Amino acid sequence: MRPFARGALAVFFVTAGAIHFLRPTPYLAIMPRFVPWPAALVAASGAAEIIGGLGVLFPWSRRAAGFGLIALLVAVFPANIQAIASGMNIGGWRVPAWLLWLRLPVQGLFVAWVYTTCLRAKASA
């Protein structure tokens, strides 16, 4: 089961990271106002997701990738709060408020997924 979880985690983060480059507008719209260089940070977070997603696939990089992905999930949490405060549109569709609120605890589930897949005992096996 663990190899499947790692593969799914890798696909999730690589895909999410690629979307930051292909469709950056929704991410730019939810950047908190206090964050400098929003476009550069959207690109950097996308690159970090891709690198972290690939990193979970290899035993020698899995632990570092896990720590990096958890740090990234914590770092982007203010953008989730900003999405609730200002709303979010994806492809002309306004994301419902309840879905934006649901995103907050789901972020915790992603942290747990990364932790159990990459950092928990025997995760490097």
Side-chain angles (χ1 to χ4, degrees):
M1 187 64 160
R2 194 170 306 269
F4 174 79
R6 279 194 295 266
L9 189 68
V11 168
F12 174 80
F13 275 103
V14 169
T15 301
I19 292 170
H20 281 68
F21 293 99
L22 300 172
R23 305 259 189 249
T25 305
Y27 301 104
L28 290 168
I30 63 169
M31 289 294 280
R33 307 292 179 249
F34 64 85
V35 175
W37 314 294
L41 290 175
V42 166
S45 64
E49 287 180 331
I50 292 168
I51 292 166
L54 294 173
V56 304
L57 296 173
F58 306 100
W60 54 270
S61 59
R62 187 168 301 134
R63 198 162 168 75
F67 281 119
L69 289 172
I70 289 172
L72 179 66
L73 289 165
V74 170
V76 301
F77 196 78
N80 294 335
I81 301 295
Q82 182 66 38
I84 292 168
S86 64
M88 185 175 190
N89 291 301
I90 298 176
W93 176 72
R94 183 151 180 88
V95 179
W98 68 266
L99 196 53
L100 296 174
W101 279 100
L102 180 64
R103 196 171 162 182
L104 299 180
V106 167
Q107 198 86 351
L109 294 176
F110 288 145
V111 169
W113 186 15
V114 172
Y115 175 79
T116 59
T117 305
C118 300
L119 301 174
R120 198 173 69 195
K122 297 186 182 178
S124 62

